[in-house]
């Protein structure tokens, strides 16, 4: 479990570092920006046999994400739980390999951005045009695929080589 926790923390720290040092605004979006914490939640989902621990970790990351990035209280916890429910359903349909984990990551990232967009639109709080949402989705695809592929292969090699079991 320590490998998974370290990976989740590193992904969260990567979110912080990228947000600090990569110039990005709603009108100028970089191709190498994605939400690394969401990808790490996707990668680690199937390593848990006891999903109670997964949801505890998910809620902690959601709270930290809310406090540090969006300055909201329950928004990201809510979105992360929705993403985990989507992952749960996708796990019944799609097996885990490099290709399918990239699909799951893209679905998760797209879900995050679309839910956020819809909530901003409904509340009239800093709503932006749908063209910007589409730009965010297309430009985050490249880094999502790169980070997901590297993470999946690395975690799979480290975790299964050393432990060969699920987290209970």
């Amino acid at each position: 479990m320590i490998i998974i926790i370290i990976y989740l923390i590193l992904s969260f720290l990567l979110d912080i570092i990228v947000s600090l040092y990569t110039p990005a605004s709603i009108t100028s979006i970089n191709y190498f920006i994605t939400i690394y914490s969401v990808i790490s939640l996707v990668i680690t989902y199937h390593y848990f046999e006891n999903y109670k621990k997964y949801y505890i970790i998910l809620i902690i990351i959601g709270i930290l994400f809310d406090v540090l990035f969006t300055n909201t209280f329950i928004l990201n916890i809510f979105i992360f739980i929705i993403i985990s429910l989507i992952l749960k359903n996708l796990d019944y349909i799609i097996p885990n390999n490099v290709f399918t984990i990239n699909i799951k990551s893209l679905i998760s990232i797209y879900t995050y951005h679309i839910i956020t967009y819809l909530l901003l639109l409904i509340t009239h709080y800093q709503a932006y045009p749908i063209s910007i949402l589409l730009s965010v989705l297309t430009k985050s695809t490249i880094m999502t695929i790169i980070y997901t592929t590297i993470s999946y292969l690395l975690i799979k090699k480290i975790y299964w080589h050393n432990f060969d079991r699920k987290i209970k």
Side-chain angles (χ1 to χ4, degrees), residues 7-149:
Y7 170 64
L8 290 165
I9 291 170
L10 287 175
S11 294
F12 187 75
L13 290 174
L14 190 58
D15 272 329
I16 293 171
I17 292 167
V18 168
S19 71
L20 288 175
Y21 296 110
T22 304
S25 67
I26 199 71
T27 55
S28 92
I29 301 144
N30 194 326
Y31 280 99
F32 296 105
I33 292 181
T34 190
I35 307 170
Y36 300 99
S37 297
V38 171
I39 295 171
S40 69
L41 291 171
V42 173
I43 299 287
T44 59
Y45 179 80
H46 66 278
Y47 286 102
F48 286 86
E49 194 173 285
N50 178 358
Y51 290 107
K52 183 179 178 183
K53 289 181 182 179
Y54 177 79
Y55 282 106
I56 290 170
I57 292 170
L58 180 137
I59 289 169
I60 291 170
I61 290 175
I63 290 169
L64 291 172
F65 215 84
D66 281 329
V67 170
L68 291 175
F69 293 112
T70 60
N71 207 15
T72 59
F73 180 57
I74 309 178
L75 175 66
N76 285 301
I77 297 170
F78 171 72
I79 295 172
F80 288 176
I81 289 173
I82 289 174
I83 290 170
S84 72
L85 294 174
I86 291 170
L87 287 173
K88 182 179 180 179
N89 290 326
L90 285 175
D91 263 4
Y92 290 119
I93 302 168
I94 307 172
N96 286 319
N97 58 44
V98 174
F99 178 70
T100 58
I101 207 78
N102 276 301
I103 291 172
K104 291 176 185 179
S105 288
L106 287 171
I107 289 171
S108 299
I109 294 293
Y110 292 170
T111 301
Y112 181 88
H113 286 301
I114 290 169
I115 290 173
T116 305
Y117 173 77
L118 291 174
L119 288 173
L120 290 174
L121 195 64
I122 290 169
T123 60
H124 301 290
Y125 180 76
Q126 295 183 354
Y128 49 88
I130 196 160
S131 61
I132 293 178
L133 172 66
L134 295 174
S135 177
V136 168
L137 294 178
T138 55
K139 290 184 178 181
S140 67
T141 300
I142 295 170
M143 195 60 200
T144 299
I145 291 172
I146 292 170
Y147 188 69
T148 301
T149 303

